[in-house]
Amino acid sequence: LYKVQRPQGYQVSWHANPAVESHHFGQSHPMKPWRLTLTKQLVMAYGMHHAMDLYLARAATYEELADFHESDYLDFLRQVMPGDIDRAEQSENVVRFNFGDDCPIFDGLYNYCSLYAGGTVDAARKLCNNQSDIAINWSGGLHHAKKAEASGFCYVNDIVLGVLQLLRHHPRVMYIDIDVHHGDGVEQAFWSTDRVLTVSFHKYDKDNFFPGTGALEDTGPSHPLNPGAHHSINVPLNDVIGACVENYRPGAIVLQCGADSLGCDRLGCFNLNVRAHGACVAFTKTFGLPLLVVGGGGYTPRNVSRAWAHETSILIDADQVIDSTIPESVAFRNHFGPDYSLFPPLSEIRRLENKNSRPYLEGLVEAVHEQLRYIKG
Ligand code: TV7
Ligand code: CA
Ligand code: ZN
Protein backbone atom coordinates (compact mmCIF):
# COMPACT_ATOMS: atom_id res chain seq x y z
CA LEU A 1 0.00 0.00 0.00
CA TYR A 2 1.13 3.49 -0.79
CA LYS A 3 1.83 6.03 1.93
CA VAL A 4 3.20 9.48 1.23
CA GLN A 5 5.33 11.41 3.77
CA ARG A 6 4.18 14.77 5.11
CA PRO A 7 5.85 17.70 3.36
CA GLN A 8 8.79 19.29 5.20
CA GLY A 9 8.26 22.60 6.89
CA TYR A 10 4.66 23.35 6.04
CA GLN A 11 1.16 21.98 6.64
CA VAL A 12 -1.40 21.10 4.03
CA SER A 13 -5.07 20.73 4.95
CA TRP A 14 -7.80 18.96 2.99
CA HIS A 15 -11.37 20.19 3.39
CA ALA A 16 -14.19 18.06 2.06
CA ASN A 17 -17.57 16.68 2.90
CA PRO A 18 -18.49 13.47 1.11
CA ALA A 19 -22.16 14.50 1.15
CA VAL A 20 -21.34 16.98 -1.66
CA GLU A 21 -20.50 14.13 -4.02
CA SER A 22 -23.93 12.53 -4.09
CA HIS A 23 -25.81 15.53 -5.47
CA HIS A 24 -27.09 15.36 -9.04
CA PHE A 25 -27.63 18.30 -11.37
CA GLY A 26 -29.57 16.01 -13.74
CA GLN A 27 -28.85 13.27 -16.25
CA SER A 28 -27.47 15.31 -19.13
CA HIS A 29 -26.01 18.18 -17.11
CA PRO A 30 -22.22 18.39 -17.54
CA MET A 31 -21.48 19.21 -13.88
CA LYS A 32 -20.93 15.91 -12.08
CA PRO A 33 -20.16 16.19 -8.35
CA TRP A 34 -19.19 12.53 -8.63
CA ARG A 35 -15.82 13.66 -10.10
CA LEU A 36 -14.96 14.53 -6.49
CA THR A 37 -15.41 10.89 -5.50
CA LEU A 38 -13.04 9.85 -8.25
CA THR A 39 -10.49 12.50 -7.16
CA LYS A 40 -10.65 11.35 -3.55
CA GLN A 41 -10.26 7.70 -4.58
CA LEU A 42 -7.09 8.56 -6.49
CA VAL A 43 -5.67 10.67 -3.68
CA MET A 44 -6.30 7.86 -1.20
CA ALA A 45 -5.00 5.10 -3.45
CA TYR A 46 -1.70 7.01 -3.64
CA GLY A 47 -1.68 7.38 0.15
CA MET A 48 -1.62 11.17 -0.06
CA HIS A 49 -4.16 11.53 2.73
CA HIS A 50 -1.40 10.55 5.19
CA ALA A 51 0.43 13.75 4.31
CA MET A 52 -2.38 16.21 5.06
CA ASP A 53 -4.64 17.26 7.91
CA LEU A 54 -8.09 16.06 6.94
CA TYR A 55 -11.12 18.11 7.93
CA LEU A 56 -14.76 17.27 7.44
CA ALA A 57 -16.19 20.48 5.99
CA ARG A 58 -19.10 21.99 7.91
CA ALA A 59 -22.04 23.47 6.12
CA ALA A 60 -21.61 27.26 5.87
CA THR A 61 -24.28 28.96 7.96
CA TYR A 62 -26.89 31.27 6.48
CA GLU A 63 -25.06 34.20 8.12
CA GLU A 64 -21.76 33.16 6.55
CA LEU A 65 -23.37 32.97 3.11
CA ALA A 66 -24.93 36.39 3.77
CA ASP A 67 -21.42 37.89 4.01
CA PHE A 68 -21.72 38.12 0.24
CA HIS A 69 -25.18 37.01 -0.85
CA GLU A 70 -28.44 38.93 -0.52
CA SER A 71 -30.94 37.47 1.89
CA ASP A 72 -33.76 37.48 -0.70
CA TYR A 73 -31.66 35.22 -2.85
CA LEU A 74 -30.58 32.96 0.02
CA ASP A 75 -34.18 32.66 1.24
CA PHE A 76 -35.21 31.49 -2.20
CA LEU A 77 -32.26 29.11 -2.46
CA ARG A 78 -33.10 27.65 0.95
CA GLN A 79 -36.75 26.93 0.22
CA VAL A 80 -36.94 26.03 -3.49
CA MET A 81 -37.78 22.49 -4.45
CA PRO A 82 -37.37 20.51 -7.65
CA GLY A 83 -40.42 21.25 -9.73
CA ASP A 84 -40.57 24.92 -8.72
CA ILE A 85 -38.97 25.75 -12.06
CA ASP A 86 -42.36 25.02 -13.62
CA ARG A 87 -44.52 26.34 -10.77
CA ALA A 88 -46.24 29.59 -11.69
CA GLU A 89 -45.94 31.24 -8.26
CA GLN A 90 -42.17 30.72 -8.29
CA SER A 91 -41.58 31.73 -11.89
CA GLU A 92 -40.78 35.36 -11.11
CA ASN A 93 -37.97 34.36 -8.74
CA VAL A 94 -36.76 31.55 -10.99
CA VAL A 95 -36.19 34.17 -13.68
CA ARG A 96 -34.91 36.88 -11.32
CA PHE A 97 -32.34 34.57 -9.76
CA ASN A 98 -31.42 32.93 -13.08
CA PHE A 99 -32.36 29.31 -12.41
CA GLY A 100 -32.92 27.08 -15.43
CA ASP A 101 -30.94 24.65 -17.56
CA ASP A 102 -27.46 25.82 -16.50
CA CYS A 103 -28.48 26.22 -12.86
CA PRO A 104 -31.19 23.65 -12.21
CA ILE A 105 -33.06 23.21 -8.95
CA PHE A 106 -32.22 19.71 -7.71
CA ASP A 107 -32.74 17.70 -4.54
CA GLY A 108 -30.63 19.00 -1.67
CA LEU A 109 -29.53 22.13 -3.54
CA TYR A 110 -29.11 24.29 -0.43
CA ASN A 111 -27.28 21.51 1.35
CA TYR A 112 -24.92 21.14 -1.61
CA CYS A 113 -24.22 24.89 -1.71
CA SER A 114 -23.68 25.31 2.01
CA LEU A 115 -21.32 22.31 2.11
CA TYR A 116 -19.03 23.38 -0.71
CA ALA A 117 -19.02 26.94 0.62
CA GLY A 118 -18.35 25.70 4.17
CA GLY A 119 -15.27 23.88 2.90
CA THR A 120 -13.81 27.06 1.42
CA VAL A 121 -14.64 29.19 4.47
CA ASP A 122 -13.08 26.56 6.77
CA ALA A 123 -10.01 26.39 4.54
CA ALA A 124 -9.57 30.18 4.60
CA ARG A 125 -9.93 30.26 8.39
CA LYS A 126 -7.25 27.58 8.82
CA LEU A 127 -4.89 29.74 6.77
CA CYS A 128 -5.73 32.80 8.87
CA ASN A 129 -5.14 30.91 12.16
CA ASN A 130 -1.80 29.65 10.88
CA GLN A 131 -3.09 26.12 11.34
CA SER A 132 -2.47 25.48 7.67
CA ASP A 133 -0.17 26.85 4.97
CA ILE A 134 -1.95 25.35 1.98
CA ALA A 135 -5.65 24.55 2.27
CA ILE A 136 -7.47 22.55 -0.40
CA ASN A 137 -11.20 22.32 -1.20
CA TRP A 138 -11.73 20.63 -4.56
CA SER A 139 -15.51 20.98 -4.23
CA GLY A 140 -15.25 24.78 -4.25
CA GLY A 141 -14.22 27.21 -6.95
CA LEU A 142 -17.69 28.17 -8.18
CA HIS A 143 -16.66 31.49 -9.59
CA HIS A 144 -19.73 32.64 -11.55
CA ALA A 145 -22.23 33.07 -8.70
CA LYS A 146 -23.30 36.70 -8.11
CA LYS A 147 -24.61 38.19 -4.90
CA ALA A 148 -28.23 37.67 -5.90
CA GLU A 149 -27.98 35.40 -8.91
CA ALA A 150 -27.02 31.88 -9.86
CA SER A 151 -24.90 31.60 -13.00
CA GLY A 152 -22.98 28.98 -14.97
CA PHE A 153 -23.53 25.97 -12.64
CA CYS A 154 -22.66 28.15 -9.62
CA TYR A 155 -25.13 29.17 -6.90
CA VAL A 156 -23.04 30.44 -4.03
CA ASN A 157 -19.67 32.07 -4.59
CA ASP A 158 -17.45 30.21 -2.14
CA ILE A 159 -14.35 31.95 -3.51
CA VAL A 160 -15.69 35.38 -2.61
CA LEU A 161 -16.51 34.09 0.88
CA GLY A 162 -12.99 32.67 1.22
CA VAL A 163 -11.36 35.90 0.03
CA LEU A 164 -13.50 37.90 2.50
CA GLN A 165 -12.15 35.71 5.32
CA LEU A 166 -8.56 36.21 4.13
CA LEU A 167 -9.09 39.98 3.93
CA ARG A 168 -9.67 40.01 7.69
CA HIS A 169 -6.00 39.10 8.13
CA HIS A 170 -4.26 40.25 4.98
CA PRO A 171 -4.22 43.75 3.51
CA ARG A 172 -4.11 42.33 -0.02
CA VAL A 173 -5.24 39.02 -1.51
CA MET A 174 -4.52 37.81 -5.01
CA TYR A 175 -6.90 35.56 -6.92
CA ILE A 176 -5.75 33.38 -9.84
CA ASP A 177 -8.26 31.50 -11.99
CA ILE A 178 -7.13 28.86 -14.52
CA ASP A 179 -10.63 27.58 -15.34
CA VAL A 180 -11.33 27.90 -19.09
CA HIS A 181 -14.19 30.29 -18.23
CA HIS A 182 -13.83 33.90 -17.06
CA GLY A 183 -14.01 34.26 -13.25
CA ASP A 184 -16.63 36.97 -13.58
CA GLY A 185 -18.37 36.58 -10.22
CA VAL A 186 -15.16 37.01 -8.23
CA GLU A 187 -13.99 39.87 -10.45
CA GLN A 188 -17.33 41.65 -10.06
CA ALA A 189 -17.43 41.17 -6.28
CA PHE A 190 -14.07 42.95 -5.88
CA TRP A 191 -14.36 45.26 -8.86
CA SER A 192 -14.27 48.35 -6.64
CA THR A 193 -11.47 47.56 -4.26
CA ASP A 194 -7.71 47.55 -4.61
CA ARG A 195 -7.39 45.00 -1.81
CA VAL A 196 -8.02 42.11 -4.20
CA LEU A 197 -6.22 41.54 -7.48
CA THR A 198 -8.11 39.10 -9.68
CA VAL A 199 -6.38 37.38 -12.58
CA SER A 200 -8.35 35.05 -14.82
CA PHE A 201 -7.04 33.03 -17.74
CA HIS A 202 -9.87 32.02 -20.04
CA LYS A 203 -11.30 31.56 -23.46
CA TYR A 204 -12.78 34.88 -24.52
CA ASP A 205 -15.35 35.20 -27.27
CA LYS A 206 -17.91 37.85 -26.47
CA ASP A 207 -20.73 36.28 -28.46
CA ASN A 208 -20.00 32.57 -28.43
CA PHE A 209 -18.39 31.56 -25.18
CA PHE A 210 -19.84 31.79 -21.69
CA PRO A 211 -19.96 34.26 -19.93
CA GLY A 212 -18.72 36.57 -22.72
CA THR A 213 -16.87 38.95 -20.38
CA GLY A 214 -13.20 39.33 -19.52
CA ALA A 215 -11.62 41.14 -22.46
CA LEU A 216 -8.04 42.34 -22.06
CA GLU A 217 -9.37 45.89 -21.97
CA ASP A 218 -11.73 45.22 -19.02
CA THR A 219 -9.26 46.23 -16.36
CA GLY A 220 -11.57 47.65 -13.69
CA PRO A 221 -13.63 50.82 -13.28
CA SER A 222 -11.46 53.66 -14.48
CA HIS A 223 -13.05 56.46 -12.47
CA PRO A 224 -10.20 58.27 -10.65
CA LEU A 225 -12.03 58.08 -7.30
CA ASN A 226 -12.52 54.34 -7.55
CA PRO A 227 -9.63 52.32 -6.11
CA GLY A 228 -10.37 49.16 -8.13
CA ALA A 229 -8.49 49.19 -11.44
CA HIS A 230 -7.00 45.80 -12.18
CA HIS A 231 -8.02 42.66 -14.08
CA SER A 232 -6.22 40.67 -16.73
CA ILE A 233 -6.68 37.79 -19.12
CA ASN A 234 -5.51 34.90 -21.28
CA VAL A 235 -1.82 35.02 -20.58
CA PRO A 236 1.18 32.73 -20.20
CA LEU A 237 1.47 32.17 -16.47
CA ASN A 238 5.16 32.50 -15.74
CA ASP A 239 5.63 35.81 -17.45
CA VAL A 240 2.57 37.39 -15.97
CA ILE A 241 1.81 35.89 -12.59
CA GLY A 242 5.38 36.43 -11.35
CA ALA A 243 5.23 40.10 -12.19
CA CYS A 244 1.75 40.44 -10.66
CA VAL A 245 2.87 38.90 -7.36
CA GLU A 246 6.03 41.02 -7.24
CA ASN A 247 4.15 44.24 -7.85
CA TYR A 248 1.07 43.61 -5.79
CA ARG A 249 2.77 41.79 -2.89
CA PRO A 250 -0.34 39.91 -1.71
CA GLY A 251 -0.49 38.41 1.79
CA ALA A 252 -2.27 35.32 0.49
CA ILE A 253 -3.23 33.72 -2.81
CA VAL A 254 -6.46 31.96 -3.78
CA LEU A 255 -6.03 29.62 -6.75
CA GLN A 256 -9.05 28.32 -8.67
CA CYS A 257 -7.99 25.16 -10.54
CA GLY A 258 -10.91 24.63 -12.92
CA ALA A 259 -9.94 21.54 -14.91
CA ASP A 260 -12.00 22.41 -17.97
CA SER A 261 -8.86 24.04 -19.39
CA LEU A 262 -7.49 20.51 -19.98
CA GLY A 263 -7.50 18.97 -23.44
CA CYS A 264 -10.47 16.66 -24.13
CA ASP A 265 -12.78 18.49 -21.76
CA ARG A 266 -16.47 18.07 -22.59
CA LEU A 267 -17.06 21.84 -22.49
CA GLY A 268 -13.64 23.46 -22.69
CA CYS A 269 -11.64 24.14 -25.81
CA PHE A 270 -8.16 24.62 -24.39
CA ASN A 271 -5.53 21.95 -24.70
CA LEU A 272 -3.53 21.74 -21.48
CA ASN A 273 -2.33 18.33 -20.36
CA VAL A 274 -2.31 17.24 -16.73
CA ARG A 275 1.36 18.24 -16.26
CA ALA A 276 0.85 21.69 -17.77
CA HIS A 277 -2.23 22.36 -15.63
CA GLY A 278 -0.23 21.18 -12.62
CA ALA A 279 2.66 23.47 -13.57
CA CYS A 280 0.36 26.44 -12.85
CA VAL A 281 -0.21 25.08 -9.36
CA ALA A 282 3.50 24.36 -8.84
CA PHE A 283 4.40 27.87 -9.99
CA THR A 284 1.84 29.50 -7.70
CA LYS A 285 3.20 27.48 -4.78
CA THR A 286 6.74 28.80 -5.31
CA PHE A 287 5.80 32.16 -3.79
CA GLY A 288 5.47 30.46 -0.40
CA LEU A 289 2.41 32.53 0.53
CA PRO A 290 -0.64 31.15 2.36
CA LEU A 291 -2.50 29.40 -0.43
CA LEU A 292 -6.18 28.52 -0.73
CA VAL A 293 -6.72 26.02 -3.53
CA VAL A 294 -10.21 25.35 -4.89
CA GLY A 295 -11.61 23.32 -7.79
CA GLY A 296 -14.08 24.73 -10.30
CA GLY A 297 -15.05 23.49 -13.75
CA GLY A 298 -13.97 20.21 -15.30
CA TYR A 299 -16.36 18.07 -17.30
CA THR A 300 -14.44 14.93 -18.20
CA PRO A 301 -14.35 13.33 -14.72
CA ARG A 302 -11.46 10.92 -15.33
CA ASN A 303 -9.21 13.83 -16.32
CA VAL A 304 -10.51 16.18 -13.63
CA SER A 305 -9.59 13.60 -11.00
CA ARG A 306 -6.18 12.98 -12.59
CA ALA A 307 -5.40 16.69 -12.56
CA TRP A 308 -6.60 17.32 -9.02
CA ALA A 309 -4.85 14.23 -7.66
CA HIS A 310 -1.62 15.28 -9.39
CA GLU A 311 -2.04 18.82 -8.04
CA THR A 312 -2.62 17.47 -4.53
CA SER A 313 0.69 15.61 -4.90
CA ILE A 314 2.42 18.84 -5.97
CA LEU A 315 1.00 20.69 -2.97
CA ILE A 316 2.27 18.04 -0.52
CA ASP A 317 5.57 17.84 -2.38
CA ALA A 318 5.04 14.22 -3.43
CA ASP A 319 4.77 14.60 -7.21
CA GLN A 320 8.29 13.23 -7.63
CA VAL A 321 7.61 10.13 -5.54
CA ILE A 322 4.25 8.88 -6.74
CA ASP A 323 3.97 6.46 -9.63
CA SER A 324 2.49 7.74 -12.87
CA THR A 325 0.67 4.43 -13.28
CA ILE A 326 -2.64 4.56 -11.48
CA PRO A 327 -2.51 2.20 -8.47
CA GLU A 328 -4.10 -1.24 -8.84
CA SER A 329 -6.06 -0.64 -5.67
CA VAL A 330 -8.00 2.42 -6.85
CA ALA A 331 -11.78 2.16 -6.91
CA PHE A 332 -13.36 2.68 -10.37
CA ARG A 333 -9.96 1.91 -11.95
CA ASN A 334 -11.69 1.01 -15.23
CA HIS A 335 -12.34 4.74 -15.79
CA PHE A 336 -8.62 5.28 -16.31
CA GLY A 337 -8.08 2.77 -19.09
CA PRO A 338 -6.70 1.92 -21.52
CA ASP A 339 -3.49 3.73 -20.48
CA TYR A 340 -4.00 3.71 -16.66
CA SER A 341 -1.63 6.67 -16.53
CA LEU A 342 -1.95 9.86 -14.51
CA PHE A 343 -0.64 11.69 -17.59
CA PRO A 344 -2.47 10.61 -20.75
CA PRO A 345 -1.43 12.40 -23.95
CA LEU A 346 -4.50 14.68 -23.89
CA SER A 347 -3.24 17.11 -26.48
CA GLU A 348 -2.68 14.30 -28.96
CA ILE A 349 -6.10 12.73 -28.57
CA ARG A 350 -7.97 15.68 -30.03
CA ARG A 351 -5.64 17.71 -32.24
CA LEU A 352 -6.30 21.42 -31.97
CA GLU A 353 -4.81 24.31 -33.82
CA ASN A 354 -2.87 26.74 -31.60
CA LYS A 355 -4.79 29.96 -32.00
CA ASN A 356 -2.48 31.91 -29.68
CA SER A 357 0.40 32.94 -31.87
CA ARG A 358 3.71 34.11 -30.38
CA PRO A 359 3.09 37.74 -31.34
CA TYR A 360 -0.43 37.60 -29.91
CA LEU A 361 0.87 36.24 -26.59
CA GLU A 362 3.69 38.77 -26.53
CA GLY A 363 1.10 41.50 -27.01
CA LEU A 364 -0.92 40.20 -24.06
CA VAL A 365 2.11 40.04 -21.80
CA GLU A 366 3.10 43.54 -22.83
CA ALA A 367 -0.40 44.83 -22.06
CA VAL A 368 -0.47 43.20 -18.64
CA HIS A 369 2.95 44.63 -17.77
CA GLU A 370 1.66 48.01 -18.87
CA GLN A 371 -1.34 47.57 -16.58
CA LEU A 372 0.89 46.59 -13.65
CA ARG A 373 2.23 50.14 -13.62
CA TYR A 374 -1.07 51.09 -11.99
CA ILE A 375 -0.82 48.37 -9.35
CA LYS A 376 1.37 48.71 -6.29
CA GLY A 377 1.27 46.66 -3.10
C1 TV7 B 1 -17.29 26.82 -13.22
N1 TV7 B 1 -21.85 25.68 -21.41
C2 TV7 B 1 -18.89 26.83 -15.17
C3 TV7 B 1 -19.12 26.92 -16.66
C4 TV7 B 1 -20.54 27.30 -16.99
C5 TV7 B 1 -20.83 27.29 -18.47
C6 TV7 B 1 -22.73 26.33 -20.69
C7 TV7 B 1 -23.55 24.33 -20.99
C8 TV7 B 1 -24.45 23.18 -20.92
C9 TV7 B 1 -25.49 23.21 -19.98
C10 TV7 B 1 -26.35 22.11 -19.87
C11 TV7 B 1 -26.15 20.99 -20.73
C12 TV7 B 1 -24.31 22.06 -21.72
C13 TV7 B 1 -23.12 20.85 -23.35
C14 TV7 B 1 -22.32 24.45 -21.60
C15 TV7 B 1 -25.77 30.45 -22.93
C16 TV7 B 1 -26.41 29.18 -22.59
C17 TV7 B 1 -26.16 27.94 -23.42
C18 TV7 B 1 -28.26 25.61 -21.34
C19 TV7 B 1 -28.39 24.30 -22.09
N2 TV7 B 1 -25.13 21.01 -21.65
C20 TV7 B 1 -17.43 26.85 -14.75
C21 TV7 B 1 -22.20 27.79 -18.75
C22 TV7 B 1 -22.55 27.74 -20.23
C23 TV7 B 1 -27.38 22.07 -18.95
N3 TV7 B 1 -23.77 28.46 -20.45
O1 TV7 B 1 -16.77 28.02 -15.17
C24 TV7 B 1 -28.22 20.98 -18.86
O2 TV7 B 1 -23.31 22.02 -22.63
O3 TV7 B 1 -23.28 29.00 -22.56
C25 TV7 B 1 -24.07 29.03 -21.63
C26 TV7 B 1 -25.43 29.70 -21.72
C27 TV7 B 1 -27.86 29.22 -22.20
C28 TV7 B 1 -28.21 27.96 -21.40
N4 TV7 B 1 -27.94 26.76 -22.20
C29 TV7 B 1 -26.54 26.68 -22.64
O4 TV7 B 1 -16.72 25.78 -15.32
C30 TV7 B 1 -17.88 25.65 -12.56
N5 TV7 B 1 -23.79 25.56 -20.42
C31 TV7 B 1 -26.99 19.90 -20.63
C32 TV7 B 1 -28.02 19.89 -19.69
CA1 CA C 1 -10.50 31.48 -15.78
ZN1 ZN D 1 -15.30 26.57 -16.40
Side-chain angles (χ1 to χ4, degrees):
L1 279 179
Y2 293 86
K3 182 168 176 179
V4 168
Q5 300 274 306
R6 286 184 167 262
Q8 296 274 302
Y10 65 97
Q11 299 249 345
V12 179
S13 57
W14 169 276
H15 302 264
N17 191 315
V20 176
E21 300 160 22
S22 51
H23 289 87
H24 294 279
F25 281 62
Q27 259 296 298
S28 59
H29 197 287
M31 179 56 102
K32 307 282 183 209
W34 183 78
R35 69 208 174 119
L36 300 164
T37 309
L38 209 52
T39 303
K40 184 177 67 184
Q41 291 304 330
L42 270 184
V43 164
M44 286 178 20
Y46 277 114
M48 295 188 220
H49 52 300
H50 298 290
M52 300 182 275
D53 296 327
L54 309 176
Y55 294 99
L56 177 67
R58 296 164 310 116
T61 63
Y62 182 95
E63 289 69 30
E64 285 170 331
L65 299 176
D67 276 346
F68 175 55
H69 293 283
E70 270 176 19
S71 52
D72 271 11
Y73 174 63
L74 291 177
D75 293 341
F76 181 77
L77 195 65
R78 192 161 51 168
Q79 55 84 54
V80 278
M81 292 190 299
D84 282 3
I85 279 226
D86 305 309
R87 215 161 272 139
E89 61 276 21
Q90 293 282 26
S91 69
E92 190 193 310
N93 281 338
V94 165
V95 172
R96 173 155 71 116
F97 298 132
N98 197 31
F99 290 85
D101 290 341
D102 271 357
C103 299
I105 295 162
F106 54 82
D107 266 324
L109 176 59
Y110 188 79
N111 190 42
Y112 166 78
C113 295
S114 46
L115 287 173
Y116 76 69
T120 301
V121 171
D122 282 355
R125 292 214 179 113
K126 287 287 166 200
L127 296 172
C128 290
N129 297 340
N130 286 319
Q131 290 181 52
S132 179
D133 299 296
I134 298 179
I136 306 172
N137 172 21
W138 293 125
S139 70
L142 300 170
H143 57 180
H144 297 304
K146 311 290 158 39
K147 67 172 188 261
E149 200 182 293
S151 173
F153 319 163
C154 308
Y155 303 86
V156 158
N157 201 315
D158 63 293
I159 304 166
V160 171
L161 299 176
V163 170
L164 288 172
Q165 289 296 322
L166 291 167
L167 285 174
R168 295 179 175 197
H169 286 78
H170 297 282
R172 291 175 306 284
V173 173
M174 183 162 156
Y175 172 64
I176 306 171
D177 182 319
I178 61 170
D179 189 290
V180 75
H181 297 96
H182 176 217
D184 58 345
V186 185
E187 178 182 285
Q188 200 181 91
F190 300 111
W191 187 246
S192 300
T193 176
D194 53 7
R195 292 188 60 203
V196 181
L197 177 65
T198 63
V199 184
S200 174
F201 299 85
H202 48 267
K203 160 94 178 149
Y204 172 66
D205 180 341
K206 196 164 79 64
D207 302 313
N208 298 306
F209 197 75
F210 186 87
T213 51
L216 182 62
E217 298 74 30
D218 300 340
T219 59
S222 64
H223 190 280
L225 295 179
N226 199 326
H230 37 56
H231 300 85
S232 51
I233 329 112
N234 254 351
V235 259
L237 289 147
N238 290 3
D239 293 10
V240 162
I241 290 297
C244 289
V245 174
E246 274 162 36
N247 268 269
Y248 189 60
R249 300 193 304 114
I253 298 181
V254 178
L255 175 61
Q256 195 265 22
C257 296
D260 47 7
S261 42
L262 293 171
C264 296
D265 187 76
R266 183 174 157 197
L267 296 192
C269 49
F270 280 1
N271 208 19
L272 294 176
N273 62 38
V274 171
R275 281 191 204 280
H277 200 269
C280 303
V281 176
F283 186 72
T284 305
K285 180 173 178 265
T286 62
F287 299 103
L289 292 164
L291 182 59
L292 172 54
V293 178
V294 292
Y299 305 100
T300 302
R302 60 180 182 280
N303 295 333
V304 177
S305 60
R306 282 174 161 122
W308 291 350
H310 172 53
E311 286 159 15
T312 303
S313 80
I314 290 171
L315 294 169
I316 61 177
D317 216 6
D319 52 310
Q320 300 299 320
V321 304
I322 67 166
D323 199 328
S324 66
T325 304
I326 287 174
E328 293 288 345
S329 64
V330 77
F332 314 107
R333 192 168 189 270
N334 56 317
H335 285 75
F336 301 105
D339 53 277
Y340 300 100
S341 169
L342 209 45
F343 307 106
L346 295 182
S347 52
E348 280 145 50
I349 295 169
R350 180 176 70 172
R351 285 231 84 98
L352 296 174
E353 178 198 350
N354 182 4
K355 294 185 177 164
N356 299 296
S357 67
R358 264 285 142 199
Y360 173 71
L361 290 174
E362 282 161 10
L364 286 181
V365 174
E366 167 90 28
V368 173
H369 280 256
E370 192 63 26
Q371 188 180 333
L372 282 175
R373 302 193 342 201
Y374 298 96
I375 296 171
K376 270 280 167 284

